[in-house]
Amino acid sequence: MTHRIEAASSGRAKCRACGKVISKGEVRFGEVAPNAFGDGEMTLWFHPACAALAHPEPLLELLADDTDTELLDDVAALRSQAEFSQQHHRLTRIAGGQRAPTGRARCRHCKEPIAKDEWRIALGFFEDGRMQPGGFIHDSCAVDYFETDELLDRVRHFSPDFKA
């Protein structure tokens, strides 16, 4: 199985990490995996930055060869982000940030309720070829849960409407 970097041939594919459309001509990363629905293989498409943040292992496999990377703007930055994601494995779970619309959710770290209108970080787990929702973390529990304080760029990446 060979992973690849290429320009999107159409605008139909969605990123498996952020769920947004990968526009025609935009650079994308393809993870080749066994087809879950039949014989052969399938390709899971990602924005390169999303792959580095949410699903770094296959991207690092491709970057280790230094062959198919001429379309990427900053290979060193992608490699650095992906390696940091591997070192702090819970970082790959970040799926965005938001204010709690209700007070019903509980923090996966401290198990306390997250009050209405309090900031929280959404979690997701990469399963079955896509990100699946996985609960929430208080913003105050984030450093303990993720074991690093370098979170804001990742939260902003998956929440483009997120304001400082």
Side-chain angles (χ1 to χ4, degrees):
M1 289 187 256
T2 58
H3 309 309
R4 61 183 178 265
I5 300 285
E6 65 180 36
S9 58
S10 71
R12 295 185 315 244
K14 287 187 177 181
C15 176
R16 294 294 179 121
C18 71
K20 293 184 175 62
V21 171
I22 301 172
S23 303
K24 182 176 181 175
E26 188 176 359
V27 176
R28 65 186 181 179
F29 166 69
E31 176 191 2
V32 178
N35 189 344
F37 306 104
D39 295 335
E41 298 173 335
M42 64 182 186
T43 303
L44 307 175
W45 296 108
F46 297 86
H47 295 106
C50 292
L53 297 174
H55 197 55
E57 294 83 11
L59 180 64
L60 285 172
E61 287 175 21
L62 179 107
L63 295 177
D65 293 340
D66 277 334
T67 53
D68 197 21
T69 60
E70 61 275 350
L71 293 176
L72 295 173
D73 289 334
D74 194 352
V75 175
L78 277 176
R79 182 178 284 120
S80 175
Q81 287 178 333
E83 288 172 349
F84 192 75
S85 294
Q86 270 194 322
Q87 291 169 359
H88 301 279
H89 69 279
R90 286 184 174 173
L91 286 177
T92 61
R93 299 176 184 174
I94 293 177
Q98 59 187 214
R99 288 200 180 268
T102 68
R104 296 184 308 199
R106 289 192 175 270
C107 176
R108 287 186 59 109
H109 181 69
C110 71
K111 311 296 187 231
E112 295 296 319
I114 301 173
K116 181 178 179 174
D117 292 325
E118 189 175 332
W119 285 107
R120 65 186 186 180
I121 296 175
L123 302 177
F125 296 91
F126 193 80
E127 296 175 345
D128 299 329
R130 66 183 30 157
M131 291 297 281
Q132 304 291 338
F136 301 95
I137 297 289
H138 284 112
D139 65 337
S140 58
C141 293
V143 172
D144 290 336
Y145 181 79
F146 295 110
E147 300 173 348
T148 182
D149 61 355
E150 295 184 32
L151 305 169
L152 191 55
D153 289 338
R154 291 166 185 272
V155 172
R156 283 186 177 153
H157 179 84
F158 291 109
S159 300
D161 299 331
F162 188 76
K163 305 288 187 253

